[in-house]
Amino acid sequence: MDRQTSSDMEKASIHNIEEVALHGHAATNIKDGQSLFHIDEAKERALRRKIDLRILPTVALLYLFCFIDRANIGNARLAGLEKDLGLQGYDYNILLTAFYVAYVVFEFPAQVVNKWIGPGKMIPILSFGFGLFSLCMAFVQSFGAAVAVRFCLGIMEAGVFPGIAFFLSRFYRKDELGFRLALYIVCAPLAGAFGGLLASGILKIDHIGPYRTWRNIFLVEGIITMGIALISYFILPDRPETCKWLTPEERLLAEARIKSENVGQTEVVDALHSKTLWSGVFNPTTLISATIFFFDNIVVQGVGFLYPTIVRTIYPGQTTIQLQLRTVPPYVVGAFTTLLTGYLSFKTKKRGLYMVLSAPFMIIGYAMYLGSMDPHVRYTAAFMVAIGAFSFGALCTAWAAANVTSDTARAGALGTVVLFGNCGGLVSTWTFLPKDSPRYVPGNAFNLCGSTVMLILSAGLWAWQVRENRAKAKGRDDWRIEGKTQAEIEALGQKLPGFRYAY
């Protein structure tokens, strides 16, 4: 197959699914990108529904507690963590920073390990680890110990978000992926809502053994996470080919339909090669999507860590439990819009459109924060920010994943997007400082500017991809495949004439 030239492949005709699903066989015409086999739509819908029901609840639950275990420190802060550990000045911000330093440093290496070992195995292992270190936070007695535990938590969580996105990309088509990403990424705003409710309930427990107040939050949530991770280890398959709950026919269909969207590729899961990995990293769509996600994550992670504190400045006279409950409604609205934009993206096969529509809500929200100290205006601003911000997690990762042509390149692209996002999380730990309370002008102004940049980049990338597709359709890249072997063709990626940017 390696010596098959472009002229040979252009003569390829429609094949059956069994043939194109075999290792070493292409599933698309490299010149026009058209599939070389026909799929029964009813069978594909049934397969997709089966995958949805088996995989999505598990990964959504894992990510829910991943985000809860990351952000529950904000709830613990309201419940007395700072006082008990003797935190002063910027100590709380340093505590948040420790998590993100580890998260950023280990992000890309963790994604390479996900590719090497397999996300179906690594995601449960990493999830058990972050549950364990969340549990350990219940036992810390000093600032130094808390920093060490948060750093270890960051190491464990580094590979979970990109790992789940990479895992799902092995089971779903590019246009299906955005909505499925939304179905688990929605757990970020839900974690804010559910985490606040759960923390309120836990705080009503007087003690668990010798442990009280905020320590109970980490104790209970850590144990729950570890239990879910253990169960998921026996549920998640690594790829369709090894999935025991699919029939042999369904496995072939699952493999063939994914291969059909990777123009020029002959394997669904290719071998790990550094050149291919870096091609996914330095893809223009990857880098722009990653930059957008950088600014978005400054908002999302800042909300997760500091929204309870902002609520306290709006409603200073209320009890801790009342404040926890006040944090819930904006998260619920954010969760709804995340699902809505993800679903519309799936149905319309567009991503850039909904990013362009979402960014103005963030701009308006931060303008309201800067323009008024009225509690009702600022609480409304929280809803505006939530409507705009939370949907970008699914849309940015889906946009990057849809514009590469191999499993390895996809691992690199997703790792890069989430790496940039977590760099934004690191920045977010220093955007709302105690000295800026209660108005937080620097943090709100920075996020206002960042939201504007997100709008400009989203619109710009969309316009560029439309222009590139028009040039490809006119035959600009046809010369690139002349006389090439299959190995050389696979290395072309987005330069293939049959490749079209998915925007």
Side-chain angles (χ1 to χ4, degrees):
M1 188 65 186
D2 282 347
R3 298 311 305 170
Q4 184 179 22
T5 65
S6 61
S7 59
D8 295 327
M9 294 190 70
E10 286 173 32
K11 298 174 184 177
S13 57
I14 299 296
H15 302 289
N16 58 41
I17 289 178
E18 290 80 1
E19 186 175 352
V20 297
L22 291 173
H23 296 287
H25 286 250
T28 57
N29 185 299
I30 58 173
K31 195 160 186 177
D32 60 16
Q34 295 300 309
S35 175
L36 296 179
F37 66 99
H38 173 72
I39 293 181
D40 184 299
E41 292 184 5
K43 289 183 178 179
E44 186 174 27
R45 280 197 302 272
L47 172 65
R48 189 168 56 230
R49 185 163 53 248
K50 191 172 185 179
I51 294 173
D52 286 343
L53 294 175
R54 294 296 187 110
I55 287 178
L56 290 178
T58 303
V59 296
L61 199 57
L62 284 173
Y63 191 65
L64 173 68
F65 277 90
C66 171
F67 207 90
I68 286 176
D69 289 346
R70 178 192 315 180
N72 57 12
I73 193 169
N75 299 112
R77 185 187 194 186
L78 286 179
L81 176 142
E82 285 181 303
K83 179 181 179 182
D84 289 352
L85 296 183
L87 304 188
Q88 298 177 352
Y90 297 126
D91 285 352
Y92 180 72
N93 299 86
I94 294 172
L95 195 56
L96 301 182
T97 302
F99 172 88
Y100 274 105
V101 168
Y103 210 152
V104 168
V105 170
F106 289 92
E107 183 82 62
F108 199 79
Q111 183 70 334
V112 174
V113 173
N114 277 328
K115 166 63 181 173
W116 178 40
I117 296 177
K121 298 181 183 68
M122 281 305 300
I123 292 169
I125 293 172
L126 293 171
S127 299
F128 185 87
F130 70 68
L132 176 63
F133 286 110
S134 180
L135 175 69
C136 289
M137 275 296 293
F139 308 120
V140 299
Q141 300 294 332
S142 66
F143 171 62
V147 168
V149 171
R150 290 290 294 182
F151 186 86
C152 292
L153 183 67
I155 294 175
M156 290 295 104
E157 290 203 18
V160 175
F161 184 1
I164 293 177
F166 178 48
F167 172 69
L168 293 180
S169 74
R170 290 183 170 183
F171 288 85
Y172 293 103
R173 288 181 179 271
K174 294 176 180 180
D175 290 323
E176 298 167 355
L177 185 60
F179 181 45
R180 274 69 191 182
L181 291 174
L183 287 172
Y184 89 84
I185 290 175
V186 71
C187 292
L190 285 179
F194 182 66
L197 292 172
L198 185 58
S200 300
I202 293 171
L203 289 173
K204 291 180 180 179
I205 302 173
D206 183 58
H207 64 89
I208 300 175
Y211 304 104
R212 299 175 180 274
T213 61
W214 61 269
R215 296 185 186 276
N216 289 345
I217 295 176
F218 293 113
L219 189 67
V220 172
E221 294 176 358
I223 290 173
I224 293 173
T225 302
M226 292 166 68
I228 296 170
L230 283 172
I231 295 170
S232 70
Y233 186 84
F234 301 98
I235 294 176
L236 297 181
D238 201 53
R239 53 181 290 184
E241 189 179 37
T242 62
C243 188
K244 296 180 180 178
W245 40 263
L246 291 177
T247 67
E249 182 184 4
E250 288 171 334
R251 287 178 206 148
L252 289 173
L253 175 58
E255 293 268 317
R257 75 193 200 103
I258 299 303
K259 189 190 290 188
S260 72
E261 295 207 315
N262 294 325
V263 180
Q265 301 298 310
T266 60
E267 302 291 341
V268 174
V269 178
D270 58 334
L272 177 60
H273 294 295
S274 59
K275 185 177 180 180
T276 309
L277 186 73
W278 291 117
S279 72
V281 172
F282 293 107
N283 183 317
T285 302
T286 298
L287 294 176
I288 296 175
S289 297
T291 303
I292 295 169
F293 196 37
F294 167 79
F295 286 106
D296 181 65
N297 231 30
I298 294 174
V299 175
V300 172
Q301 302 302 334
V303 167
F305 287 127
L306 295 162
Y307 185 49
T309 303
I310 294 172
V311 169
R312 183 167 57 188
T313 68
I314 299 174
Y315 301 100
Q318 297 194 350
T319 67
T320 297
I321 291 179
Q322 287 175 325
L323 291 174
Q324 301 279 12
L325 294 175
R326 284 280 188 182
T327 66
V328 173
Y331 283 115
V332 173
V333 172
F336 173 78
T337 54
T338 298
L339 289 176
L340 178 62
T341 55
Y343 180 75
L344 292 175
S345 172
F346 168 46
K347 287 298 184 181
T348 62
K349 300 183 179 182
K350 297 184 184 297
R351 286 147 286 269
L353 170 64
Y354 301 104
M355 291 167 70
V356 169
L357 292 176
S358 295
F361 287 96
M362 300 165 63
I363 294 171
I364 294 170
Y366 282 108
M368 292 171 69
Y369 273 132
L370 287 169
S372 176
M373 282 297 293
D374 181 88
H376 300 290
V377 172
R378 291 170 71 81
Y379 196 52
T380 302
F383 284 88
M384 298 298 290
V385 171
I387 289 171
F390 284 102
S391 61
F392 274 87
L395 295 172
C396 286
T397 48
W399 207 349
N403 288 286
V404 291
T405 59
S406 71
D407 190 67
T408 297
R410 199 153 34 248
L414 291 169
T416 302
V417 171
V418 182
L419 170 63
F420 273 57
N422 287 315
C423 287
L426 180 60
V427 172
S428 75
T429 63
W430 294 94
T431 52
F432 292 91
L433 300 176
K435 67 181 181 66
D436 300 321
S437 178
R439 199 176 192 102
Y440 294 108
V441 171
N444 288 322
F446 182 85
N447 284 332
L448 175 61
C449 294
S451 301
T452 305
V453 171
M454 289 167 63
L455 176 60
I456 294 170
L457 289 178
S458 299
L461 179 57
W462 183 9
W464 177 77
Q465 289 189 337
V466 169
R467 189 190 69 181
E468 284 293 295
N469 283 353
R470 287 174 180 167
K472 283 177 170 290
K474 292 178 180 178
R476 184 193 65 186
D477 294 336
D478 289 358
W479 64 272
R480 296 183 184 276
I481 61 174
E482 294 176 2
K484 293 288 197 303
T485 65
Q486 176 59 32
E488 292 169 332
I489 285 169
E490 290 185 13
L492 287 174
Q494 295 89 343
K495 295 178 181 179
L496 282 167
F499 176 84
R500 294 293 184 271
Y501 287 98
Y503 48 81

